[in-house]
Amino acid sequence: MCGIAGELSLRIGARASAARVWAMCNVMAHRGPDDFGEFADAEVALGMRRLSIVDVAGGHQPIANEDGSVQVVCNGEIYNSPALRSGLLARGHHFRTSTDVEVIAHLYEEGGTDALAGLDGMFAFALWDRRRRRLVLGRDRIGIKPLYVAETGERLLFGSEAKCLLAAGLDPDLDLQALHDYLTLGYVPGPASIFRGVRQLPPGHLLVAEPGGRVRTERYWDLRGHAGRGEPRSDGEWEAELLAALRAAVASHLMSDVPLGVFLSGGLDSSTIVALMHELGVHPIRTFTIGFAERSFSETDDARQVATRFGTEHHELVVRPDAATLLPRLVRHFDEPFADSSAIPVWHLSELARRHVKVVLSGEGGDEMLAGYETYRARRLAALYARLPRLIGGRAVPELVRRLPVSHARVSFDYKAKRFVAGAYLPPAAGHLWWKTVLAEDVKAALYANGTVAEVEPTVRLFERLYGESDGEELDRLQYVDGTLFLPADILVKVDRMSMAHSLEARVPFLDRAVMELARRLPARLRLRGLTTKYVLRRAMAGRLPAAIVDGRKRGFNVPIPSWLVGELRDFTHDVLAPTRLRRQGLLDPDAVGRLVAEHMTRRADHSRAIWALLVLVVWHDAVRGEVRAAAESGDRCRTLAAPARREAT
């Protein structure tokens, strides 16, 4: 696990700056505090920060093939490296290390870019072909590991975090479409970034840059094309195949020369990982969980039940509402505005785990691959609700629901009921977005200060495009939207940045290639049976896990933001969203923001997700954009954001 960065000159005869790449690596020292490596060859410079996990002593990067004609830096793990290595050795290749990254150099040497599609794992790599003067960038199939790219006309820059490109001297403007989508979703949907001209290499893609400035991007894998085709199997056979695939995935993800553990939420996915580790004979199993003083949000009892059953070395931490102190630190690690408040417990969980281990397994991806979200159930119910006469479903029921008292509890019936009736008659893509919407289009229009956003596309267009390009039935398409948008841009960003902030590697077995492809082939009835989510996984784990876990509702690291905002974070909220501060930034209308805050504080409505998104945006704008512009004005671009990163790395 590492962070990588680099520069390629796109102008023939120009040289890359090794000093600039050093600055890019310096600002992400937290991703790899164990080692620094660099390589420079005329028009290219590569750099990396290493967190030593496999071949701790000998895995220094960059890593080359036998004659040094191929140089590689990589962030991540190649889980099928043992099998790839055996094949390469049999075909006459010679290895100098036992690290998994070395297989990338030999695969490319033997088969070029086509051979790189054989990599299974989580990774973002950069490869320099000295003979062809070619740079190849690659990202794993689903976007577990990040990779940002920018072309400036004369050079191509890349890095594991957006701050790397800012440290290289970029001073980009805001991407207003990305800002608009952020306010809808609470995150910036890839492959865009919040910075104009900075993009992410899409998951499952390679970028190839060749002499003369020719840059192309090509896809090597797609979640599409694996949807079920009516294979003649019994439910039991599907169940057995899924269990075997998950067990193999967990086994491969145990590859490590340092201690590892598990993030345990008490939900089905993370509990499944613990159970399979136990079956594989792992001992001790170290588990880590987070709780809250607010009992309705805390899952410590469920996690403790699993830990007791499997005799794990269990660690717990109760999180207090310290978001006022923590938010600026979160902002610096995300680089972009990111309003998924569950980043708070993941930060604390990573901090807790890093005291004991260097690697953790986590349950991310299970909901997207096996249909675990309540939004999928909501679409099933909406189809039934839409059969009601409009007089009842469109007028009478919404009027009754509108009168429900506002609750700031975790399981808020009024919130769900109001969302449901407002979106029940929408088509699938728009209805799916409605459940995820933080700020609706009309609310955003009122929030923008004059001139903030000119012509932008409604976010629903993005959902409609993805829904339309998918294959399979409605459930397949909704899962495709989540797997290509929400998963890489929210869930995996959160886990990567928060774990890496503490120099901790997080692995996600549910996103193993074989598991993902099998999950897409599973009949829809086994993913969502009636209103039972993840039906086949529940069947597979029955008897292996406590019944309360198998039959329980979806769990996760949820945060009591609604009550925090009217309690411990009340003064912080008013300070951050103060009219004078908003006027100075010029992004948001102070009066419109004030109305949202007032309605929440007086419990007339639950605007907690919207207010949190605005808090993040305002803090981000001052902390990140302010420093970038200050550095640009002073001409000291290479030190942009470096000091905060150094402090947190130590």
Side-chain angles (χ1 to χ4, degrees):
M1 185 60 61
C2 313
I4 63 172
E7 173 182 335
L8 175 70
S9 174
L10 298 175
R11 182 164 54 88
I12 295 176
R15 300 183 67 87
S17 170
R20 192 153 40 224
V21 172
W22 178 88
M24 296 167 74
C25 289
N26 183 56
V27 297
M28 58 171 178
H30 51 277
R31 296 188 74 92
D34 297 336
D35 192 13
F36 169 73
E38 59 186 334
F39 170 83
D41 182 17
E43 69 268 42
V44 73
L46 308 178
M48 64 87 61
R49 298 290 317 207
R50 184 179 181 224
L51 181 65
S52 305
I53 302 294
V54 177
D55 191 4
V56 173
H60 176 80
Q61 296 184 36
I63 287 178
N65 62 339
E66 293 90 340
D67 63 3
S69 61
V70 178
Q71 299 280 339
V72 177
V73 290
C74 179
N75 165 27
E77 306 288 355
I78 310 301
Y79 297 124
N80 66 335
S81 61
L84 293 173
R85 176 186 292 260
S86 295
L88 289 163
L89 286 170
R91 294 191 295 274
H93 291 264
H94 298 281
F95 284 74
R96 288 197 291 264
T97 76
S98 59
T99 181
D100 55 312
V101 173
E102 192 172 350
V103 300
I104 300 175
H106 295 286
L107 277 178
Y108 177 83
E109 176 189 23
E110 183 174 275
T113 55
D114 291 342
L116 299 177
L119 298 171
D120 290 342
M122 58 175 190
F123 54 82
F125 68 80
L127 180 152
W128 176 242
D129 181 340
R130 300 181 74 173
R131 292 197 179 102
R132 296 182 178 87
R133 315 308 292 178
R134 170 198 282 180
L135 176 70
V136 180
L137 305 180
R139 193 175 178 201
D140 64 64
R141 287 172 173 78
I142 204 68
I144 304 169
K145 292 291 102 183
L147 190 58
Y148 288 84
V149 181
E151 294 178 54
T152 65
E154 293 193 344
R155 56 188 172 133
L156 183 148
L157 299 166
F158 64 87
S160 293
E161 298 185 3
K163 64 169 62 69
C164 301
L165 308 186
L166 305 180
L170 289 186
D171 181 22
D173 292 327
L174 280 178
D175 185 310
L176 296 183
Q177 182 66 57
L179 173 64
H180 188 76
D181 292 336
Y182 162 76
L183 290 172
T184 304
L185 300 168
Y187 60 88
V188 176
S193 84
I194 196 67
F195 303 108
R196 184 181 300 167
V198 175
R199 69 185 191 279
Q200 300 174 61
L201 181 62
H205 281 70
L206 300 176
L207 180 149
V208 182
E210 298 179 309
R214 297 188 300 273
V215 179
R216 70 178 189 276
T217 303
E218 54 191 48
R219 186 193 295 269
Y220 69 86
W221 186 85
D222 196 343
L223 199 56
R224 293 173 296 182
H226 303 288
R229 296 288 185 265
E231 298 177 47
R233 300 188 189 184
S234 68
D235 290 2
E237 289 173 324
W238 283 116
E239 176 188 325
E241 185 174 356
L242 176 63
L243 190 60
L246 282 171
R247 187 181 290 109
V250 170
S252 69
H253 284 56
L254 297 175
M255 177 180 69
S256 176
D257 295 332
V258 297
L260 55 79
V262 186
F263 282 169
L264 180 60
S265 69
L268 179 59
D269 298 336
S270 60
S271 299
T272 293
I273 293 173
V274 172
L276 294 178
M277 288 176 68
H278 185 266
E279 290 183 14
L280 290 165
V282 177
H283 182 79
I285 301 175
R286 302 173 181 89
T287 52
F288 306 92
T289 195
I290 289 292
F292 296 94
E294 296 86 345
R295 294 292 297 172
S296 65
F297 283 81
S298 189
E299 306 291 358
T300 53
D301 291 344
D302 297 312
R304 197 177 299 137
Q305 187 178 172
V306 174
T308 300
R309 172 146 180 174
F310 296 107
T312 74
E313 184 183 294
H314 191 54
H315 305 270
E316 295 179 358
L317 178 70
V318 174
V319 174
R320 305 294 176 183
D322 62 344
T325 302
L326 183 57
L327 185 54
R329 301 178 74 186
L330 299 184
V331 161
R332 292 190 188 281
H333 282 285
F334 283 115
D335 296 333
E336 305 182 76
F338 184 84
D340 185 339
S341 60
S342 63
I344 295 172
V346 177
W347 167 281
H348 288 294
L349 190 64
S350 299
E351 187 176 47
L352 170 65
R354 189 61 177 89
R355 299 173 196 162
H356 305 273
V357 299
K358 211 170 184 178
V359 179
V360 291
L361 275 60
S362 191
E364 277 71 28
D367 291 318
E368 291 80 6
M369 295 301 117
L370 296 171
Y373 289 123
E374 290 192 9
T375 51
Y376 305 136
R377 300 200 306 168
R379 289 304 308 167
R380 288 272 173 94
L381 288 171
L384 299 174
Y385 184 87
R387 297 177 185 176
L388 292 173
R390 280 279 182 162
L391 184 62
I392 297 175
R395 294 179 60 185
V397 175
E399 178 59 25
L400 289 173
V401 168
R402 186 183 64 81
R403 299 180 182 182
L404 290 172
V406 175
S407 169
H408 286 170
R410 172 180 179 175
V411 182
S412 176
F413 175 77
D414 65 290
Y415 175 84
K416 292 182 179 180
K418 291 170 184 176
R419 281 273 164 167
F420 179 81
V421 298
Y425 290 102
L426 294 172
H432 195 55
L433 170 61
W434 177 243
W435 276 101
K436 301 170 180 293
T437 296
V438 176
L439 287 158
E441 294 292 330
D442 58 335
V443 179
K444 285 186 294 184
L447 283 174
Y448 292 137
N450 290 335
T452 297
V453 173
E455 294 183 7
V456 293
E457 186 179 71
T459 307
V460 70
R461 297 287 185 265
L462 174 59
F463 275 64
E464 290 170 343
R465 280 197 297 272
L466 291 172
Y467 184 88
E469 74 182 31
S470 178
D471 54 353
E473 57 184 86
E474 180 177 304
L475 181 61
D476 295 309
R477 292 172 181 268
L478 295 178
Q479 287 184 255
Y480 176 80
V481 172
D482 286 341
T484 56
L485 185 64
F486 179 61
L487 179 63
D490 183 308
I491 299 298
L492 296 176
V493 166
K494 172 180 62 184
V495 174
D496 174 81
R497 303 304 191 279
M498 295 297 90
S499 60
M500 285 278 84
H502 297 92
S503 304
L504 178 75
E505 174 172 307
R507 300 176 178 177
V508 282
F510 277 92
L511 297 178
D512 178 84
R513 176 186 181 179
V515 175
M516 290 192 294
E517 293 179 356
L518 172 60
R520 287 290 287 180
R521 297 202 319 273
L522 286 170
R525 71 176 190 278
L526 293 182
R527 286 171 272 141
L528 183 63
R529 176 72 63 94
L531 296 179
T532 301
T533 57
K534 290 192 281 199
Y535 175 78
V536 67
L537 182 60
R538 296 181 194 276
R539 278 185 50 128
M541 298 311 295
R544 288 181 164 86
L545 290 171
I549 304 299
V550 172
D551 300 329
R553 57 183 171 80
K554 173 176 168 48
R555 295 169 173 82
F557 299 120
N558 295 287
V559 183
I561 290 292
S563 59
W564 283 4
L565 290 175
V566 299
E568 294 88 342
L569 297 182
R570 188 183 189 96
D571 291 342
F572 173 74
T573 300
H574 286 301
D575 288 344
V576 172
L577 300 181
T580 53
R581 188 170 186 175
L582 298 182
R583 290 191 189 96
R584 174 171 53 80
Q585 289 189 352
L587 290 177
L588 302 170
D589 179 81
D591 294 334
V593 172
R595 285 191 293 271
L596 272 181
V597 173
E599 287 183 2
H600 184 84
M601 296 301 182
T602 57
R603 299 183 183 272
R604 283 178 284 164
D606 181 359
H607 293 313
S608 56
R609 295 177 67 215
I611 293 171
W612 184 253
L614 298 177
L615 287 171
V616 170
L617 178 63
V618 171
V619 172
W620 171 84
H621 188 275
D622 278 353
V624 175
R625 293 296 299 159
E627 290 192 27
V628 171
R629 294 202 179 279
E633 290 169 3
S634 68
D636 192 13
R637 288 185 169 96
C638 281
R639 291 198 298 117
T640 302
L641 300 180
R646 280 174 176 164
R647 284 197 298 270
E648 293 188 4
T650 58

